[in-house]
Amino acid sequence: MSNSGDGEITSSSPKTIGKGELVPIGSLLPPSELLRSGESAEHIRALAETEEILPPIVVHRETRRVIDGMHRLWAARFRGDESIEVVFVDGSPADVFVLAVELNRAHGLPLTKDERKSAAALIMESHPHWSDRKIARTTGLAASTVASLRPSSTVGTVERRTGQDGRSRPSDGTDGRQRAGDLLAQNPNASIREVAKAAGISVGTASDVRARLRRGEPAITARQQAVTKLRPAAAAQRASPDYSRVLESLRKDPSLRFTDLGRRLLRLLDGSAPGSVEQIAQIADGVPEHCRIVVVDMARDCAAAWQHLADQLAGRDIA
């Protein structure tokens, strides 16, 4: 994303937002990736009643989806406004989601810790090369909290990650620390810079390894040892998406809760959310033989209808 005079902004400089343009409220859509579990009705009422001039909302130009400002949008709707001031931004869906997180940290109703952890998990999926500290700074979490989410990520391990300073470093410092420890064990007087270069780690990390060895501690930190132990178990226990949590978020979305079609969709989703592989197998085993053909036909018809809906949504051209 670029920062230009026509209202485009960068994800690294959210405070550069300027004046926008008036856009019909009916042409805007909610975010595709929800930051929060639901809007606050109390906050919406407070915004609707305020006499202060609120900042423009931020919208992805290509999809017309709101990046920042859903509470302000709902407040405008409740006041009966037909248009709202918008700053449009360009960029990939993954980049604009990062921008949404950054903008939320800069102002507005703060995200809960669980919501920030969910955001970090999504950023981890879309930006697997970002370091824990870079994601932590974006989401307002501790780097150690972000690191604890890594074992549950569906993204495979990447060899290098980009930090806040833009430099690329090995994603897992365990091997590099171990190599540095071996080199220092063989030659305790070796130069830190030589050890760092040979082990493929930073000078600061090599210095830390030497200090740990001198204190009689292992070269690998306790946190790295714990994360390394967790990875195999987490990979083996990865399950299907938590649809109950997704449904709960959708139920709190005013654009679905407060419309007839939205409530109808929620009822359909509530009755159609898939269970685990084990649950599906149990249901299949419990279907009586004389009902089997009818259930097969109905299940296939339902699957075809949902597939048609998914295809329509995925291919919809939003003006």
Side-chain angles (χ1 to χ4, degrees):
M1 284 177 280
S2 60
N3 181 6
S4 64
D6 62 0
E8 295 177 14
I9 56 179
T10 68
S11 62
S12 59
S13 53
K15 294 182 181 179
T16 61
I17 297 178
K19 296 188 67 174
E21 57 186 271
L22 286 178
V23 173
I25 287 177
S27 68
L28 304 176
L29 296 169
S32 56
E33 296 285 0
L34 298 178
L35 269 179
R36 19 179 121 258
S37 56
E39 274 75 37
S40 166
E42 182 180 351
H43 190 54
I44 292 172
R45 283 195 298 269
L47 292 176
E49 294 170 0
T50 185
E51 296 182 357
E52 296 180 9
I53 298 177
L54 300 175
I57 67 173
V58 183
V59 175
H60 188 211
R61 190 190 308 276
E62 181 182 355
T63 63
R64 310 288 283 196
R65 293 191 179 277
V66 176
I67 297 172
D68 179 64
M70 276 303 298
H71 284 98
R72 278 166 277 160
L73 179 61
W74 274 107
R77 283 178 174 171
F78 287 163
R79 285 196 303 265
D81 298 346
E82 295 183 355
S83 60
I84 190 170
E85 191 175 7
V86 168
V87 170
F88 284 108
V89 298
D90 298 307
S92 69
D95 287 339
V96 297
F97 179 76
V98 171
L99 176 58
V101 177
E102 292 180 337
L103 287 171
N104 183 272
R105 289 194 61 223
H107 61 81
L109 197 64
L111 296 173
T112 66
K113 185 174 182 180
D114 284 343
E115 289 167 344
R116 283 180 282 132
K117 288 171 70 174
S118 296
L122 288 171
I123 294 174
M124 198 176 293
E125 302 286 331
S126 62
H127 296 74
H129 290 85
W130 277 20
S131 69
D132 293 342
R133 291 187 180 279
K134 187 174 179 68
I135 296 176
R137 182 172 182 178
T138 300
T139 56
L141 293 169
S144 58
T145 301
V146 175
S148 71
L149 300 175
R150 290 279 182 192
S152 300
S153 173
T154 58
V155 175
T157 303
V158 294
E159 293 184 359
R160 303 184 71 81
R161 295 198 187 113
T162 303
Q164 298 179 55
D165 57 3
R167 296 176 61 185
S168 175
R169 297 180 178 86
S171 60
D172 186 352
T174 305
D175 291 342
R177 279 179 169 272
Q178 190 60 62
R179 285 194 297 270
D182 294 341
L183 290 169
L184 288 169
Q186 297 171 8
N187 185 4
N189 297 320
S191 161
I192 286 297
R193 291 190 177 278
E194 292 175 352
V195 172
K197 184 176 181 180
I201 58 178
S202 68
V203 172
T205 300
S207 179
D208 181 66
V209 170
R210 168 172 279 174
R212 292 178 64 85
L213 294 177
R214 286 177 175 174
R215 293 194 301 267
E217 300 173 359
I220 303 171
T221 66
R223 182 178 68 83
Q224 288 174 321
Q225 293 178 47
V227 170
T228 301
K229 291 178 181 178
L230 281 173
R231 280 175 183 153
Q237 294 175 5
R238 282 176 190 151
S240 58
D242 186 352
Y243 287 100
S244 62
R245 182 177 178 184
V246 175
L247 276 172
E248 186 61 30
S249 295
L250 291 175
R251 291 190 193 102
K252 295 178 181 178
D253 189 328
S255 60
L256 295 176
R257 283 171 50 200
F258 299 152
T259 63
D260 290 337
L261 287 177
R263 288 191 292 269
R264 184 179 178 186
L265 174 61
L266 289 174
R267 287 194 295 270
L268 288 171
L269 289 170
D270 194 41
S272 304
S276 64
V277 174
E278 293 78 9
Q279 290 171 328
I280 295 297
Q282 290 174 358
I283 293 172
D285 290 340
V287 175
E289 184 60 30
H290 66 277
C291 299
R292 183 174 62 85
I293 299 301
V294 175
V295 174
V296 167
D297 290 341
M298 290 186 68
R300 285 175 174 166
D301 287 344
C302 289
W306 281 110
Q307 184 63 56
H308 181 63
L309 174 61
D311 291 343
Q312 281 193 318
L313 293 174
R316 184 166 59 186
D317 184 18
I318 302 172

